[in-house]
Amino acid sequence: MAPFDTGRLDALMEEAGIDVLLATSKHNTQYLLGGYRFIFFSTMDAIGHSRYLPVVIYEKGHAENSAYVANRMEGGEHQNHPFWTPAFHAAAWGTLDAAEYAVEHLRKIGKGAARIGIEPSFLPLDAYRLFSERLEGATFVDATGVLERLRAVKKPEELEKLRKASELVTNAMMATIGWARAGTTKTEIIERLRQEETNRGLQFEYCLLTLGPSHNRAASDQAWREGDVLSIDSGGNYRGYIGDLCRMGVLGHLDAELEDLLGEVEQIQQAAFSKVRAGARGGDVIARAQSVLKASKVAEFTDFFAHGMGLITHEVPFLMTNHPVTYEGVDAARPLEAGMVVSVETTMLHPSRGFIKLEDTLAVTNDGYEMFGERGRGWNRGATA
């Protein structure tokens, strides 16, 4: 039995004019396989002269014709925990042999000349050329939007993974801030965070860190000094799902100006939160936060942003256009749905105090929202000497 809503996928494929789907991205093959991702290629794709190319094949209305084209080493995975797809091909080492097996399966189920949905941004050129040459009469359709919409509303088990990811990232950041002291460098702080996240069962993905008045978030030998603020923004992966949050630290005395500045950020965050609920337009969340930001005394150097998240850090709902990531805010006029997950972030680039930011994760509910990983939203203290 397929681990996703086949009726929803069938409807989305019908609307997009797709007969059969070829999913080739790690995140979408993971979703279609019920959360599975092959550990050998979890953090890289390259092998020899080629790369790993998983392919999940799904025919509209006929889940019984589904197949998974895998790497040869995944045969052992199938023996331990069989994949749900009726057909399984663990015979590929690179892109071309994976594409060959996909072509063979499409022909077997009579879809060699069908309208085939692909992921253009996640389909290597050599594999696409092979599909084009071998599947005479086929029409290729961009299925990116179909798969994004399929993943938009999270199942309870997905929400639990996102909650866990957010809590573990927050706990790791709190421990890291409490460990760092005067003289600790950015590079050392980032490495400590990596250890804290890994020890909690997360796969560390990134840390964007600032110290003092600098707005530079890259690793360096810059050291934390007494009175400096620290901004720590990190993504940690828990079983495929992303925890992405930002928290603030200060070393030494916490003055009234810093309390006030973070308070301005918090007001903007709360304005956005107040509009989050199932049925509300996504654009209303943005408009409310921006109206409060516009009236703020820190508006000149402060920005607001919100985006959907789940298996990847920017997914449905897409709420803003080219701000800062280059995609269209196609969901601004659409209602939020219970089970969607939104990241809400307000960033201040203060000219003298530095980078001051909060980023929070909200799961949309019927009557509002539930926040994941809500610890440490105020000023957190670094270690004393």
Side-chain angles (χ1 to χ4, degrees):
M1 181 177 179
F4 54 88
D5 187 341
T6 56
R8 179 176 173 83
L9 179 54
D10 291 342
L12 289 166
M13 291 173 67
E14 178 67 24
E15 184 180 355
I18 295 172
D19 299 316
V20 61
L21 179 68
L22 298 183
T24 52
S25 65
K26 282 183 179 178
H27 54 283
N28 281 320
T29 56
Q30 174 180 328
Y31 186 83
L32 295 173
L33 292 173
Y36 167 79
R37 181 179 290 195
F38 186 30
I39 191 171
F40 189 83
F41 291 103
S42 181
T43 58
M44 59 92 177
D45 294 325
I47 185 165
H49 295 299
S50 190
R51 55 158 285 190
Y52 175 59
L53 184 66
V55 186
V56 174
I57 303 171
Y58 176 85
E59 181 184 352
K60 181 183 64 182
H62 293 280
E64 70 274 11
N65 288 337
S66 299
Y68 177 42
V69 179
N71 179 269
R72 292 184 189 180
M73 291 185 287
E74 290 179 83
E77 302 278 351
H78 185 60
Q79 290 176 6
N80 294 337
H81 303 285
F83 299 107
W84 74 269
T85 57
F88 172 64
H89 306 283
W93 275 115
T95 55
L96 293 179
D97 44 356
E100 290 274 13
Y101 281 99
V103 166
E104 181 181 326
H105 185 80
L106 288 170
R107 287 174 174 167
K108 182 178 180 180
I109 64 175
K111 294 298 175 181
R115 295 170 297 178
I116 300 173
I118 61 172
E119 297 185 78
S121 296
F122 299 93
L123 181 61
L125 179 61
D126 57 356
Y128 176 73
R129 283 176 173 167
L130 189 147
F131 287 144
S132 300
E133 293 168 0
R134 303 290 176 85
L135 298 172
E136 186 176 350
T139 301
F140 296 97
V141 181
D142 188 344
T144 303
V146 166
L147 289 162
E148 288 170 345
R149 294 290 152 196
L150 180 66
R151 303 195 323 269
V153 175
K154 275 59 180 177
K155 300 185 289 289
E157 57 268 30
E158 293 181 277
L159 291 172
E160 185 56 35
K161 289 175 184 176
L162 282 161
R163 179 205 310 278
K164 190 75 170 178
S166 300
E167 290 175 350
L168 292 175
V169 168
T170 303
N171 290 344
M173 291 194 295
M174 296 300 94
T176 300
I177 294 172
W179 164 85
R181 62 192 64 234
T184 309
T185 68
K186 291 176 71 176
T187 299
E188 291 170 338
I189 295 170
I190 292 171
E191 172 56 21
R192 179 68 178 212
L193 179 66
R194 185 193 67 77
Q195 295 174 16
E196 294 285 353
E197 291 190 5
T198 301
N199 290 342
R200 286 170 169 79
L202 291 168
Q203 179 176 303
F204 174 78
E205 295 212 347
Y206 62 84
C207 175
L208 304 173
L209 184 74
T210 67
L211 297 176
S214 172
H215 300 157
N216 186 324
R217 298 202 284 172
S220 73
D221 291 333
Q222 180 189 358
W224 204 5
R225 301 179 305 178
E226 190 78 12
D228 280 352
V229 303
L230 172 152
S231 168
I232 189 165
D233 187 336
S234 180
N237 190 306
Y238 181 74
R239 300 184 181 179
Y241 289 80
I242 303 296
D244 178 21
L245 301 100
C246 184
R247 296 292 181 258
M248 297 300 302
V250 63
L251 192 61
H253 176 63
L254 175 61
D255 58 60
E257 182 184 38
L258 288 180
E259 291 273 25
D260 184 51
L261 292 174
L262 191 58
E264 293 288 331
V265 169
E266 173 67 359
Q267 286 186 33
I268 298 163
Q269 291 288 96
Q270 291 295 334
F273 299 165
S274 71
K275 293 296 182 180
V276 176
R277 68 181 185 281
R281 290 189 332 133
D284 291 344
V285 176
I286 308 302
R288 177 59 180 156
Q290 289 180 330
S291 68
V292 173
L293 171 58
K294 185 177 180 179
S296 171
K297 61 186 178 183
V298 300
E300 180 183 359
F301 40 80
T302 304
D303 189 39
F304 172 81
F305 183 44
H307 57 88
M309 60 180 296
L311 282 172
I312 59 176
T313 53
H314 288 258
E315 60 179 50
V316 175
F318 297 110
L319 301 176
M320 305 179 75
T321 297
N322 300 335
H323 189 94
V325 184
T326 52
Y327 52 70
E328 295 295 315
V330 295
D331 295 308
R334 295 178 175 174
L336 297 173
E337 299 178 60
M340 287 182 169
V341 177
V342 180
S343 176
V344 178
E345 48 188 295
T346 302
T347 305
M348 180 190 304
L349 303 180
H350 194 276
S352 62
R353 302 311 298 266
F355 199 100
I356 300 176
K357 174 180 179 179
L358 287 176
E359 181 173 7
D360 298 296
T361 299
L362 278 60
V364 180
T365 64
N366 287 323
D367 56 359
Y369 63 88
E370 182 179 0
M371 186 182 293
F372 294 162
E374 59 185 314
R375 283 189 63 209
R377 300 186 68 258
W379 285 105
N380 301 284
R381 300 300 188 103
T384 57

